[in-house]
Amino acid sequence: AYIATRGADATGQPRLFVSASAPRNTLAAFAGGAVLLAGGMVWSINWAPIRANWTLITALTPKSPEEGGIDKTIEIFKQALAYNTFGNQEIREQLAQGAASAAGSSLTAEQKQKLFILATDEMKKQEASAPEDARFPFFLGILYGSYGQMPESKQHLERALELSPTKQTIKFQLVAVKAQMGDKQGVLELLKSAYESAPKFPEPAIMYASLLIEMGQDAQADEIIKPLLEAGTAADQRLINVYLAKKRFD
């Protein structure tokens, strides 16, 4: 998942991380780490991946102030990463999700900054290890955007889109960033690309048509909306709002 869960638990601390259940690599670590030696019942365990996974589980559990709070969580994440196993990708992604969620939490500015610095540094390491994977610049784009650093967010999301040019999720995230930066033309071009790559799906069509209407390109918008009307999916509040704003009641 790209979006972390928000809220609070019984400790009263904000829940920033997705889950405290066993990460996806845990069973693989057990399966791959245990080797039955021929001729006997002696097991040789590769403990590092197992310890890293269980340390991650501990990190994902909210800590009360008495337990050290978010500072303790950061310390445990560092411990999990120090095992330097194949699970580092999972650990970094969980850290990035939590750090992005923390931007809108009740943590202090200093605590948020600590999380942000650790998460971005680690995700950059992950990106360096797999420079052709769009997932990691996408995470970085979300992280920077969560903390209001839109130029950096745009840079990383554009890199992610370069690596995965048909990924609608990346396009929509970049649309949000460019909209905040006031780049209406950039938003229009992205929405056009999203619509043209999936014209039968309502979401990109509605977003693209709404912006076209807002920019006074009604004839082009009407062509996009026509199939939605025929399919009965045009009654979307965004379209209604933009028509009302333009005083179009037809």
Side-chain angles (χ1 to χ4, degrees):
Y2 287 117
I3 307 299
T5 301
R6 297 189 184 185
D9 74 341
T11 67
Q13 298 302 295
R15 178 175 287 280
L16 305 176
F17 301 98
V18 173
S19 172
S21 60
R24 60 177 176 243
N25 291 326
T26 302
L27 294 179
F30 276 100
V35 179
L36 179 60
L37 299 181
M41 295 296 293
V42 180
W43 292 82
S44 174
I45 305 293
N46 180 4
W47 284 109
I50 299 169
R51 286 172 175 160
N53 274 299
W54 287 109
T55 305
L56 173 58
I57 292 171
T58 305
L60 296 176
T61 306
K63 307 294 182 294
S64 68
E66 293 75 21
E67 295 171 314
I70 197 65
D71 291 325
K72 184 64 176 178
T73 295
I74 292 171
E75 178 186 327
I76 297 171
F77 265 110
K78 290 179 179 179
Q79 290 171 4
L81 289 164
Y83 288 107
N84 196 28
T85 70
F86 58 80
N88 271 12
Q89 177 182 335
E90 172 80 8
I91 296 166
R92 286 165 175 156
E93 290 183 6
Q94 292 280 1
L95 175 60
Q97 291 180 68
S101 183
S105 76
S106 59
L107 295 178
T108 67
E110 182 182 359
Q111 290 171 329
K112 292 177 184 180
Q113 186 68 5
K114 285 181 182 178
L115 261 178
F116 173 75
I117 290 172
L118 179 61
T120 51
D121 285 351
E122 291 298 329
M123 193 51 66
K124 285 176 182 177
K125 291 177 187 176
Q126 191 64 42
E127 182 182 30
S129 73
E132 300 304 311
D133 193 326
R135 186 175 180 86
F136 310 124
F138 180 72
F139 268 107
L140 282 165
I142 291 175
L143 261 172
Y144 279 106
S146 297
Y147 286 80
Q149 298 185 31
M150 296 306 164
E152 293 83 358
S153 177
K154 174 176 172 285
Q155 174 190 338
H156 288 289
L157 290 172
E158 286 179 339
R159 174 57 179 162
L161 190 59
E162 178 185 336
L163 293 169
S164 186
T166 62
K167 192 74 171 178
Q168 298 286 62
T169 310
I170 301 173
K171 291 177 184 177
F172 290 142
Q173 192 70 35
L174 190 51
V175 161
V177 169
K178 289 195 173 189
Q180 289 194 53
M181 296 177 73
D183 182 5
K184 189 169 284 189
Q185 187 60 38
V187 170
L188 186 66
E189 290 169 2
L190 276 169
L191 290 178
K192 180 182 179 182
S193 171
Y195 166 69
E196 290 178 345
S197 62
K200 294 183 179 180
F201 288 91
E203 185 64 19
I206 289 168
M207 293 176 69
Y208 183 37
S210 297
L211 186 56
L212 284 170
I213 296 166
E214 185 181 326
M215 296 177 73
Q217 301 179 38
D218 292 26
Q220 190 176 349
D222 289 345
E223 288 300 311
I224 294 167
I225 293 168
K226 185 178 178 181
L228 300 179
L229 289 168
E230 293 170 353
T233 56
D236 184 276
Q237 193 61 47
R238 288 165 294 181
L239 282 173
I240 294 169
N241 288 343
V242 75
Y243 274 130
L244 290 174
K246 288 288 184 176
K247 294 183 169 49
R248 276 194 58 182
F249 306 108
D250 54 328

